[in-house]
Structure formats: C-alpha cells, structure tokens
C-alpha cells in the first residue's frame, strides 16, 4: 500500500508531538530538583534593633537604628533570592510600642517583637545591633547567643566565622550571653550580631556607607547559609 506525502507528514507530526510530550513530562518531574533554591521553605525573622524614638547607640551623628535597618534590608534581599520567606520585626523608622505606653515603651517594644517571632514560628532569628562605648579604641563585630541550645551556638559561630573572613576586622569569637530579652524568650535558633562600634571613628565612617552595610549583610548571609547547609560548626 502506498503512503501519500500527506500521510507521511501527519505521521511525522504525531511522532514529534509524542516525543515532545514525553520530554515535557521528564523535564517537569525533574525541574523541582534542578531549580530548588537552597533556602526554599525556610522562614527567617530579621530584627533590626531599635527604631522610632529609640535611636540606640550613636556616634558622630550616626544613629544605630538607621544602620541596623539598612543592613537588615540588604540581608533580607539576599535571603529572599535564596528562596527564604523573610519577616522583619520592623521595616521603617518606628518601634513596635504604642505612642504613649506610660513609661513602658521599651519593654512593650521588646515584648511585641517576641510575640511576632512566636507567631511567625521561624527556622531562625537574627537580631542586628551596633555598639558604642566611651573609648574610641574598640572596633569589630561580634555575635552573641543565649546558651540554652546547641543550635543557638552553632548559628552564632557560623555567622561570626563568616564575619571574620569577610570583614577582616575582628578576631573575636561567638560569645554566650544571658541578659538579652529577645534571645531568652524565643525558642527558634537565634543570634544577635553587634556589627561594629559607632564610637570608633574609622568603623563609624564605614558603617555609614551603603557599600559597607551590604558587605556586613553578605557576611551574615553567608554564615546563615553555612548553618542551613549542615556544614560542620566552626571551632571554637
């Protein structure tokens, strides 16, 4: 039986269609594996310290509250690009307290940050702060954790180790701390990062620039990534 050119064309089209459907199915089945971002499914809370009437530490006219928010925003971008869902305790220059809580503003602000973290139920929490002391001598970043779990310690050590490598401004190690309200009151792995000293003129000049704020954010981000990828915790 002779097959016409039209029939040959139809057979070719059908074969191509079947081949295409098979390949589409294979690609669909494997695309999740190839395109899965490293922090997909992770929920992270970033706590930019202070805000509103609470400016935090100060030096040379630079306020802690502004620098912490800028670094947190940069860090949020990096984490979201890796697939994380990021919740900020604040996204503008304000705290979480009422306008007039009758002398309890700071307490109310901290309590509401803790309540937000508990409601979010994140995989980890990072709180960002800056230092300022009477002496201009001291500089460099340091990460703190509440010593109630190995996960707190591990997260803090990863962040501090990455800070040491990326910023090259400190030889400090992650340190346990017992009196930070937020760290004490929450269950998820958490770390507080004091990213530098506003009382040191050289470091203050760096911390006031967007480029350095991004560099700080990158160093924290890399430490968090190392924590979530189950790398061996740095020592000490």
């Amino acid at each position: 039986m002779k097959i016409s050119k039209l029939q040959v064309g139809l057979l070719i089209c059908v074969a191509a269609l079947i081949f295409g459907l098979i390949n589409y199915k294979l690609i669909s089945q494997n695309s999740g594996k190839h395109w899965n971002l490293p922090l997909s499914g992770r929920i992270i809370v970033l706590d930019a310290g202070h805000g509103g009437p609470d400016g935090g530490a100060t030096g040379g006219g630079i306020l802690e509250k502004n620098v912490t928010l800028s670094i947190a925003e940069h860090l949020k971008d990096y984490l979201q690009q890796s697939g994380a869902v990021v919740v900020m305790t604040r996204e503008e220059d304000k705290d979480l307290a009422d306008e007039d809580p009758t002398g309890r503003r700071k307490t109310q602000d901290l309590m509401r940050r803790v309540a937000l973290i508990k409601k979010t139920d994140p995989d980890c929490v990072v709180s960002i702060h800056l230092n300022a002391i009477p002496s201009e001598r001291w500089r460099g970043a340091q990460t703190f954790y509440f010593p109630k779990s190995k996960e707190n310690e591990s997260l803090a050590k990863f962040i501090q180790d990455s800070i040491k490598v990326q910023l090259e401004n400190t030889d400090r190690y992650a340190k346990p701390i017992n009196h930070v309200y937020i760290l004490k009151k929450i269950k998820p792995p958490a770390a507080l990062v004091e990213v530098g000293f506003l009382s040191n003129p050289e470091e203050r000049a760096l911390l006031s620039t967007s480029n350095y704020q991004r560099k700080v954010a990158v160093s924290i981000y890399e430490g968090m990534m190392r924590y979530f990828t189950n790398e061996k915790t740095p020592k000490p």
Side-chain angles (χ1 to χ4, degrees):
M1 181 179 68
K2 289 186 177 181
I3 300 176
S4 67
K5 291 182 179 179
L6 177 61
Q7 289 174 316
V8 171
L10 287 172
L11 287 171
I12 292 172
C13 288
V14 170
L17 179 61
I18 293 171
F19 179 78
L21 288 171
I22 291 171
N23 277 281
Y24 175 78
K25 186 175 181 181
L26 290 172
I27 292 170
S28 298
Q29 288 174 341
N30 292 306
S31 60
K33 296 178 182 178
H34 292 297
W35 294 100
N36 188 37
L37 296 172
L39 295 181
S40 291
R42 299 290 188 181
I43 300 173
I44 296 169
V45 171
L46 298 181
D47 174 50
H50 307 281
D54 178 11
T58 184
I62 306 299
L63 296 177
E64 177 181 3
K65 66 175 183 176
N66 297 327
V67 180
T68 61
L69 182 57
S70 179
I71 292 171
E73 288 172 339
H74 291 316
L75 180 55
K76 176 184 177 181
D77 289 342
Y78 296 130
L79 292 168
Q80 286 182 330
Q81 289 169 18
S82 293
V85 174
V86 180
V87 176
M88 303 270 282
T89 57
R90 68 180 183 97
E91 296 185 272
E92 53 187 324
D93 183 17
K94 60 186 295 185
D95 60 11
L96 276 64
D98 294 333
E99 288 300 315
D100 184 19
T102 318
R104 296 181 60 248
R105 185 168 196 129
K106 184 62 179 178
T107 300
Q108 190 179 73
D109 173 54
L110 292 173
M111 290 175 67
R112 288 184 174 175
R113 290 178 197 240
V114 168
L116 174 61
I117 292 168
K118 289 181 177 179
K119 182 179 178 181
T120 305
D121 190 24
D123 292 281
C124 84
V125 179
V126 172
S127 186
I128 301 170
H129 289 261
L130 282 82
N131 262 317
I133 58 176
S135 172
E136 295 182 350
R137 172 187 173 188
W138 301 103
R139 61 173 296 164
Q142 187 163 21
T143 308
F144 297 89
Y145 62 95
F146 185 60
K148 65 180 177 181
S149 75
K150 287 292 183 183
E151 292 302 310
N152 285 348
E153 181 179 1
S154 180
L155 175 63
K157 284 185 174 181
F158 276 120
I159 293 174
Q160 185 66 24
D161 190 65
S162 290
I163 283 173
K164 289 169 66 176
V165 172
Q166 295 294 327
L167 301 184
E168 299 180 314
N169 68 356
T170 182
D171 58 0
R172 297 185 181 94
Y173 299 104
K175 184 177 179 180
I177 195 168
N178 291 299
H179 63 268
V180 176
Y181 182 83
I182 289 179
L183 298 185
K184 288 173 63 175
K185 295 295 182 178
I186 61 175
K187 292 182 179 180
L192 183 148
V193 189
E194 296 276 5
V195 300
F197 286 80
L198 288 176
S199 48
N200 179 281
E202 185 180 48
E203 190 160 59
R204 180 172 65 240
L206 288 171
L207 286 164
S208 65
T209 67
S210 180
N211 283 342
Y212 190 76
Q213 290 165 6
R214 285 183 180 275
K215 191 173 181 180
V216 172
V218 167
S219 67
I220 298 172
Y221 164 75
E222 290 190 356
M224 296 173 72
M225 286 291 291
R226 292 170 63 193
Y227 169 78
F228 280 117
T229 52
N230 297 316
E231 185 179 319
K232 187 176 180 180
T233 304
K235 294 190 177 190

